[in-house]
Amino acid sequence: MSSESSKKRKPKVIRSDGAPAEGKRNRSDTEQEGKYYSEEAEVDLRDPGRDYELYKYTCQELQRLMAEIQDLKSRGGKDAAIEIEDRRIQSCVHFMTLKKLNRLAHIRLKKGRDQTHEAKQKVDAYHLQLQNLLYEVMHLQKEITKCLEFKSKHEEIDLVSLEEFYKEAPPDISKAEVTMGDPHQQTLARLDWELEQRKRLAEKYRECLSNKEKILKEIEVKKEYLSSLQPRLNSIMQASLPVQEYLFMPFDQAHKQYETARHLPPPLYVLFVQATAYGQACDKTLSVAIEGSVDEAKALFKPPEDSQDDESDSDAEEEQTTKRRRPTLGVQLDDKRKEMLKRHPLSVMLDLKCKDDSVLHLTFYYLMNLNIMTVKAKVTTATELITPISAGDLLSPDSVLSCLYPGDHGKKTPNPANQYQFDKVGILTLRDYVLDLGHPYLWVQKLGGLHFPKEQPQHTVVADHSLSASHMETTMKLLKTRVQSRLALHKQFASLEHGIVPVTSDCQYLFPAKVVSRLVKWVAIAHEDYMELHFTKDIVEAGLAGDTNLYYMALVERGTAKLQAAVVLNPGYSSIPPIFQLCLNWKGEKTNSNDDNIRAMESEVNVCYKELCGPRPSHQLLTNQLQRLCVLLDVYLETESHDDSVEGPKEFPQEKMCLRLFRGPSRMKPFKYNHPQGFFSHR
Amino acid sequence: MERAVPPAVPLGQMEVFQALQRLHMTIFSQSVSPCGKFLAAGNNYGQIAIFSLSAALSSEAKEESKKPIVTFQAHDGPVYSMVSTDRHLLSAGDGEVKAWLWAEILKKGCKELWRRQPPYRTSLEVPEINALLLVPKENSLILAGGDCQLHTMDLETGTFTRALRGHTDYIHCLALRERSPEVLSGGEDGAVRLWDLRTAREVQTIEVYKHEECSRPHNGRWIGCLATDSDWMVCGGGPALTLWHLRSSTPTTVFPMRAPQKHVTFYQDLVLTAAGNSCRVDVFTNLGYRAFSLSF
């Protein structure tokens, strides 16, 4: 079969090759098949399995032939060449067969591939279609959901409720018969109604706006009118000032004062308010004024950066002025001290007028960092006062207000917190600065409403009106009494220095008509001198001779007898009596330690002082005491028992009428004067 | 001279007044209670103060224990003398003698049990009573003072039985002579007079100032204090303190002291005496020398 096929094949091959080259594409397959030997068609007809067998057989034949050729070649011989040639031709035929088989295999492969490819293409096409459809499905689904979710804007509007709608809407909009049944129509109707309402409201709104504009314009006009009024009122007030003065109603002045008062620090403000109130209500002789610079007071409230700038500026200036020298530690400390003791620029001035036209001027200051108030006092009299030498301290600003209340000496700061502040800048006590700053008396703090309780130190002490009010009246009265008693003393001292004890006529009854002992000297002595005297020990030990008192020495004489009297004048005179200590020089030195009668004389002036007070306000106490002292000396000298051993008459004949010269185990002399009988008796 | 100066306390009017009162106070009389626990003291303002001796002398005594338990105004004038019986405190000064119950005296607002005034002659001035003397045997009280008489008062009935006259000036002090009931009185007139209580007459007079050994004219002649031991008597005042033998009325020893003596008492064999304006209590033996002095 192979040789047949190969024979057949050869021409076929030439033909089949030549036919497509010449043929056109138009020719159908059937024509080709009919004319040519198409191997493609042959492939369909042949059985691949048989082809495979053929291939195996052919390979075997080839191997056999080769082996025979090999044999023949190796044996050699002449015949061999023809055998070999024969066999070579057979192998060539086999080679041909193999080639054909190979072609067929290729063709089959190609066909198989083409078929697979076609099928794959179809499948791909379907797959693509499927995907397209799926995609479209998905898309459509999305669209559907979108459509389903769609909310119409009309649902966002809060429509009025159905009942209301049917109530309010006019029938041509609500169209009840149509809308009841059809929700779509109903909603439409409702929307219509909504639109209607909104239109109306918009109208109203426009109207209101225009109204508002109008009214605003009116307000403007009126404002202008009022502002034009203000300067006219001012001018009226100015014009009324003379009328105010004429009628003694200085409203304007008071108003100005209240304006300034707004800048006062709280304690000074409390004082100002309370003092003004008291002056208006109870005491017409009190006048209150504010002094100082309001601008400076305002400047205190500037923000701290400004003040710091000022400080640094001033520091810079200071540096410049001292040129090369830096401010020493002492100067810096000094500045710190000054800063700590700084006063508020405003001060309150109180003027208390007394009956005899003398005036006590009090200026109250506020020390800002220490939170205490101080006062400076000055007394002016209607007529010029000639100050007697001993009266130097009576009215001096430093001491005139000392101990207004017992123990209130005004030399120490009443605020316990200040001590820590002082320690920082090296101030020992405020005493060194009181001359400059004024005295921080306790009553001053109370008038300013400041209370510093000793038991519980408070963090911040706030000015309290009620405290000030409760102390105002008493303090004012005490101040007046103080000034008047000091002035009275002033006058009395002038007389005492001349040796005359000024006893007023309404006190004459306390003394007998004739008083022989005379006051020859009256001087002021220092506290230390008083302490050094030998006959004042008792008073010193009893704690009655403090450094706030004033001390004097009086000398009473009669004949050879000299009586020294050391006087302690308490600032609280005349409610607190002056205390006398006596020393008699006559036939030896007699004091209260060696002569009971001297003691009795002291008792007569010290303990029985109430009889000597005289009519209120008892300014006569001191002079009456001195006069009594003279009387007592008279009695003492005249009743001295005569020493029989000594010859000669008594130096002092007895002129006083006495019932008995001695009485009691201590053999007291009769020192008590009885009025109007005029005799002396014992207590 | 360095002296501790007490700090000046802020003194109001009341404190100053009280301080002055205290400075000028004189205590004239004192008396111990019958139980011995309390001491009554009378001052020149007429006040009587009762002190608790047991508290003040105890080991835990504080400052307050030395202050009076109670003080009250007893008389208008000074309280010059006080004596205690076994139930009463008798005080006298400005012409009256008042009695207080010791049992009641510690309560506030104590009132006097009774008060008596001896019949005085003068009416212009009420004479003071300087000395009180109890005569236990007769249960009577002898008063003497400004009217120069000795009055005896019966303590039960309160009547004044006798008035012994003789002094020419007021009487300072009294002393009782136990054995023969006689009273000695010393006065401003410088005489010590002895009185017999039964007969109510003056028995003996010693004019001390007339004796040169003891008289001190520059001090005066007044007799301030008396003490008697039946045979002996010590008296002093203006004249020097002298020991006398009563029977013979002669001064035996003159005690050497300068200041006029205010109080004197016999104690066993010693003589204790205090001057009043010094801080010492001098103790002497009968022989006249000073043994020692107790000092404040």
Side-chain angles (χ1 to χ4, degrees):
Chain A
M1 203 176 7
S2 59
S3 54
E4 284 176 352
S5 59
S6 57
K7 278 181 192 168
K8 282 180 195 178
R9 218 183 290 143
K10 270 191 195 167
K12 289 274 167 86
V13 170
I14 299 163
R15 278 183 206 156
S16 63
D17 285 340
E22 289 175 358
K24 296 176 184 173
R25 284 181 211 154
N26 299 357
R27 286 198 192 156
S28 60
D29 289 325
T30 48
E31 258 188 53
Q32 280 184 316
E33 276 182 29
K35 288 187 180 183
Y36 305 100
Y37 182 70
S38 162
E39 273 188 329
E40 277 116 23
E42 202 182 336
V43 159
D44 295 329
L45 294 171
R46 292 168 73 102
D47 178 18
R50 282 181 69 190
D51 283 341
Y52 184 58
E53 292 297 319
L54 187 60
Y55 163 72
K56 271 207 301 201
Y57 170 73
T58 317
C59 285
Q60 269 178 312
E61 286 293 310
L62 265 178
Q63 277 177 344
R64 189 186 56 84
L65 287 171
M66 286 300 128
E68 281 174 14
I69 291 173
Q70 175 69 29
D71 274 339
L72 286 172
K73 278 199 173 170
S74 63
R75 270 185 288 144
K78 251 190 185 179
D79 292 340
I82 304 161
E83 298 286 312
I84 291 169
E85 189 61 40
D86 193 34
R87 279 185 181 81
R88 207 188 82 201
I89 292 166
Q90 279 179 351
S91 1
C92 287
V93 173
H94 285 312
F95 278 124
M96 308 287 280
T97 321
L98 280 180
K99 276 181 130 176
K100 182 171 176 110
L101 284 176
N102 183 35
R103 271 197 311 273
L104 285 179
H106 275 113
I107 291 167
R108 274 198 197 107
L109 185 66
K110 185 169 174 273
K111 263 201 175 158
R113 276 195 182 145
D114 286 343
Q115 278 175 345
T116 319
H117 190 66
E118 260 182 59
K120 191 166 165 237
Q121 285 217 346
K122 272 199 202 141
V123 168
D124 277 348
Y126 288 140
H127 200 67
L128 219 60
Q129 274 185 342
L130 175 67
Q131 283 204 333
N132 279 343
L133 286 173
L134 280 177
Y135 184 71
E136 218 176 304
V137 163
M138 205 170 69
H139 182 255
L140 284 173
Q141 272 179 343
K142 275 195 195 161
E143 291 293 305
I144 290 169
T145 35
K146 242 200 249 178
C147 286
L148 284 175
E149 282 172 10
F150 173 74
K151 279 194 175 145
S152 160
K153 265 195 186 156
H154 85 275
E155 288 179 18
E156 286 166 18
I157 309 171
D158 278 328
L159 295 173
V160 295
S161 63
L162 268 175
E163 304 84 38
E164 256 187 73
F165 166 67
Y166 278 117
K167 250 190 286 175
E168 286 176 19
D172 56 341
I173 295 186
S174 67
K175 286 189 260 188
E177 39 332 311
V178 179
T179 55
M180 280 297 207
D182 187 0
H184 174 69
Q185 289 297 329
Q186 193 181 63
T187 321
L188 276 177
R190 285 167 82 182
L191 285 172
D192 277 336
W193 171 235
E194 188 73 22
L195 181 65
E196 188 74 33
Q197 277 187 318
R198 283 190 186 202
K199 276 191 195 153
R200 281 190 216 162
L201 289 173
E203 238 346 280
K204 258 199 223 166
Y205 173 68
R206 267 195 293 273
E207 268 174 62
C208 290
L209 265 180
S210 60
N211 264 346
K212 179 176 147 191
E213 289 297 309
K214 252 191 276 171
I215 293 172
L216 273 176
K217 283 205 189 87
E218 276 176 43
I219 290 174
E220 274 303 317
V221 167
K222 286 194 181 154
K223 263 197 195 158
E224 274 196 41
Y225 172 68
L226 282 176
S227 57
S228 76
L229 205 53
Q230 167 78 339
R232 289 189 206 174
L233 285 175
N234 275 341
S235 57
I236 293 176
M237 276 185 67
Q238 287 291 102
S240 75
L241 268 177
V243 181
Q244 280 182 31
E245 280 178 25
Y246 189 73
L247 290 175
F248 297 110
M249 293 194 294
F251 283 124
D252 224 37
Q253 209 184 25
H255 183 68
K256 267 197 216 125
Q257 266 210 341
Y258 277 110
E259 273 299 309
T260 338
R262 282 206 331 228
H263 299 286
L264 284 173
L268 282 182
Y269 183 74
V270 168
L271 173 66
F272 174 75
V273 168
Q274 294 300 323
T276 322
Y278 177 74
Q280 282 173 354
C282 314
D283 189 1
K284 298 286 177 235
T285 59
L286 172 68
S287 70
V288 186
I290 303 180
E291 283 181 352
S293 152
V294 179
D295 296 326
E296 277 186 43
K298 284 189 199 157
L300 285 174
F301 283 98
K302 269 205 192 133
E305 305 95 58
D306 284 5
S307 58
Q308 273 180 14
D309 284 343
D310 288 339
E311 268 187 41
S312 60
D313 280 347
S314 64
D315 275 341
E317 281 174 17
E318 213 186 297
E319 294 260 14
Q320 286 171 11
T321 51
T322 55
K323 300 216 177 162
R324 282 172 213 135
R325 260 180 56 229
R326 290 178 68 237
T328 60
L329 199 63
V331 172
Q332 282 177 348
L333 208 59
D334 218 22
D335 288 337
K336 277 198 208 153
R337 278 191 211 136
K338 278 197 200 129
E339 183 63 33
M340 173 148 300
L341 298 173
K342 216 165 89 166
R343 294 204 286 228
H344 193 274
L346 292 175
S347 58
V348 175
M349 220 172 95
L350 254 68
D351 286 337
L352 277 167
K353 227 191 216 173
C354 305
K355 278 187 208 137
D356 55 352
D357 282 345
S358 51
V359 186
L360 173 68
H361 303 280
L362 296 169
T363 317
F364 293 88
Y365 299 99
Y366 176 64
L367 300 183
M368 299 181 287
N369 294 319
L370 302 178
N371 196 24
I372 55 174
M373 280 171 60
T374 62
V375 67
K376 275 193 186 172
K378 203 172 95 161
V379 178
T380 57
T381 47
T383 56
E384 183 74 27
L385 275 183
I386 307 166
T387 310
I389 306 167
S390 56
D393 279 341
L394 279 183
L395 293 172
S396 81
D398 192 30
S399 62
V400 64
L401 294 180
S402 170
C403 295
L404 196 68
Y405 289 90
D408 191 3
H409 49 72
K411 291 190 187 129
K412 212 171 67 129
T413 168
N415 186 352
N418 291 153
Q419 196 51 49
Y420 304 106
Q421 292 168 294
F422 285 170
D423 287 342
K424 272 191 239 170
V425 293
I427 297 176
L428 280 173
T429 159
L430 206 56
R431 188 192 274 229
D432 308 326
Y433 301 92
V434 286
L435 279 177
D436 212 20
L437 297 172
H439 291 266
Y441 296 114
L442 288 170
W443 55 268
V444 173
Q445 315 308 322
K446 294 220 170 86
L447 285 185
L450 296 169
H451 178 50
F452 302 103
K454 284 192 196 109
E455 308 85 44
Q456 311 152 296
Q458 290 179 328
H459 291 291
T460 44
V461 177
V462 181
D464 177 18
H465 278 269
S466 54
L467 184 64
S468 174
S470 55
H471 283 83
M472 180 65 69
E473 188 166 2
T474 336
T475 313
M476 289 299 142
K477 289 208 171 115
L478 278 175
L479 282 169
K480 273 203 185 153
T481 326
R482 169 65 63 98
V483 170
Q484 284 178 321
S485 78
R486 290 288 167 101
L487 283 170
L489 278 177
H490 209 264
K491 259 192 271 172
Q492 289 163 359
F493 280 21
S495 178
L496 290 175
E497 281 187 359
H498 287 112
I500 303 168
V501 181
V503 180
T504 58
S505 49
D506 43 7
C507 298
Q508 276 298 344
Y509 70 93
L510 292 165
F511 315 104
K514 186 174 173 200
V515 179
V516 186
S517 306
R518 290 179 311 111
L519 176 72
V520 291
K521 197 166 82 157
W522 173 263
V523 285
I525 58 173
H527 179 223
E528 298 80 27
D529 294 338
Y530 181 87
M531 308 271 271
E532 294 292 315
L533 292 170
H534 59 279
F535 51 93
T536 56
K537 285 187 201 143
D538 290 338
I539 296 296
V540 174
E541 276 168 15
L544 293 166
D547 56 359
T548 51
N549 297 326
L550 299 167
Y551 298 93
Y552 300 92
M553 182 72 85
L555 189 59
V556 179
E557 274 186 8
R558 180 178 171 175
T560 56
K562 294 190 196 336
L563 179 66
Q564 275 182 310
V567 186
V568 180
L569 189 67
N570 192 295
Y573 176 87
S574 54
S575 55
I576 299 182
I579 305 174
F580 286 75
Q581 289 287 86
L582 304 172
C583 174
L584 175 63
N585 269 301
W586 181 61
K587 295 188 183 172
E589 190 181 80
K590 299 182 170 78
T591 64
N592 58 17
S593 51
N594 58 13
D595 188 342
D596 279 340
N597 282 307
I598 300 286
R599 203 154 167 260
M601 284 163 70
E602 286 175 355
S603 176
E604 282 285 317
V605 277
N606 290 341
V607 180
C608 309
Y609 71 94
K610 289 212 174 102
E611 312 163 344
L612 298 170
C613 276
R616 296 197 71 196
S618 53
H619 292 151
Q620 301 303 316
L621 180 57
L622 180 68
T623 47
N624 285 346
Q625 281 177 318
L626 284 168
Q627 184 76 334
R628 179 173 269 195
L629 207 57
C630 297
V631 173
L632 292 173
L633 183 63
D634 275 349
V635 172
Y636 183 97
L637 296 170
E638 289 173 17
T639 56
E640 190 68 8
S641 52
H642 189 60
D643 191 353
D644 295 325
S645 62
V646 176
E647 289 183 15
K650 272 173 80 168
E651 187 180 351
F652 304 106
Q654 183 172 342
E655 289 166 2
K656 302 274 183 292
M657 205 162 69
C658 310
L659 291 178
R660 275 172 66 178
L661 287 182
F662 302 104
R663 189 177 191 261
S666 44
R667 305 177 68 242
M668 289 287 116
K669 292 174 189 279
F671 287 123
K672 179 177 165 192
Y673 178 70
N674 295 296
H675 180 81
Q677 301 89 344
F679 65 90
F680 286 84
S681 61
H682 294 85
R683 279 198 192 265
Chain B
M1 173 182 48
E2 272 299 319
R3 208 189 309 148
V5 179
V9 180
L11 294 172
Q13 187 187 21
M14 193 40 72
E15 289 96 353
V16 170
F17 183 63
Q18 282 172 352
L20 287 173
Q21 264 196 328
R22 266 202 294 276
L23 278 173
H24 294 96
M25 191 185 290
T26 312
I27 296 181
F28 282 115
S29 51
Q30 71 252 358
S31 182
V32 182
S33 68
C35 58
K37 288 194 213 150
F38 301 101
L39 177 71
N43 69 11
N44 58 330
Y45 298 119
Q47 296 163 331
I48 293 182
I50 311 288
F51 296 85
S52 165
L53 279 176
S54 45
L57 295 175
S58 79
S59 48
E60 299 116 40
K62 299 180 293 258
E63 274 306 308
E64 296 89 61
S65 326
K66 297 184 186 161
K67 299 257 181 222
I69 307 174
V70 72
T71 311
F72 56 93
Q73 190 76 25
H75 291 261
D76 293 328
V79 182
Y80 285 130
S81 66
M82 289 204 289
V83 284
S84 280
T85 64
D86 45 359
R87 286 205 313 153
H88 299 112
L89 173 70
L90 303 168
S91 65
D94 55 347
E96 281 185 328
V97 59
K98 291 189 187 180
W100 317 80
L101 258 182
W102 267 112
E104 300 281 318
I105 211 165
L106 292 173
K107 300 183 195 154
K108 280 204 164 41
C110 169
K111 289 252 177 249
E112 73 258 16
L113 209 57
W114 46 259
R115 62 160 89 168
R116 312 286 309 152
Q117 194 180 55
Y120 293 123
R121 284 176 304 179
T122 58
S123 57
L124 198 58
E125 197 193 8
V126 178
E128 77 280 17
I129 297 174
N130 284 328
L132 290 174
L133 190 66
L134 279 173
V135 187
K137 282 194 193 144
E138 289 183 10
N139 197 22
S140 67
L141 179 73
I142 303 184
L143 308 91
D147 68 340
C148 318
Q149 297 173 54
L150 283 91
H151 298 271
T152 39
M153 186 184 95
D154 186 77
L155 277 172
E156 261 190 55
T157 58
T159 51
F160 289 94
T161 47
R162 293 184 286 264
L164 304 168
R165 296 190 193 103
H167 275 283
T168 50
D169 208 337
Y170 75 94
I171 300 166
H172 274 277
C173 46
L174 295 171
L176 183 65
R177 208 173 166 197
E178 290 275 337
R179 256 186 275 151
S180 44
E182 281 177 7
V183 176
L184 288 89
S185 63
E188 184 72 17
D189 56 1
V192 175
R193 296 175 204 273
L194 286 86
W195 313 81
D196 187 327
L197 283 172
R198 281 174 298 199
T199 58
R201 281 143 140 328
E202 191 177 329
V203 175
Q204 198 181 350
T205 309
I206 302 172
E207 287 180 313
V208 181
Y209 63 98
K210 289 201 174 143
H211 294 255
E212 272 202 27
E213 312 96 313
C214 44
S215 77
R216 295 187 296 200
H218 57 275
N219 277 342
R221 51 168 89 160
W222 51 279
I223 301 293
C225 55
L226 261 187
T228 179
D229 191 22
S230 287
D231 291 331
W232 302 91
M233 177 196 73
V234 172
C235 69
L241 191 70
T242 328
L243 181 68
W244 295 76
H245 187 242
L246 277 174
R247 201 106 48 75
S248 54
S249 306
T250 48
T252 50
T253 325
V254 176
F255 298 101
M257 274 184 302
R258 264 193 21 207
Q261 297 305 302
K262 296 268 170 71
H263 293 283
V264 72
T265 176
F266 274 103
Y267 182 72
Q268 293 171 0
D269 257 349
L270 303 166
V271 172
L272 300 159
T273 174
N277 57 359
S278 85
C279 54
R280 291 199 302 274
V281 177
D282 296 300
V283 185
F284 290 85
T285 68
N286 281 350
L287 302 174
Y289 65 87
R290 178 174 26 211
F292 54 89
S293 296
L294 300 167
S295 168
F296 257 87

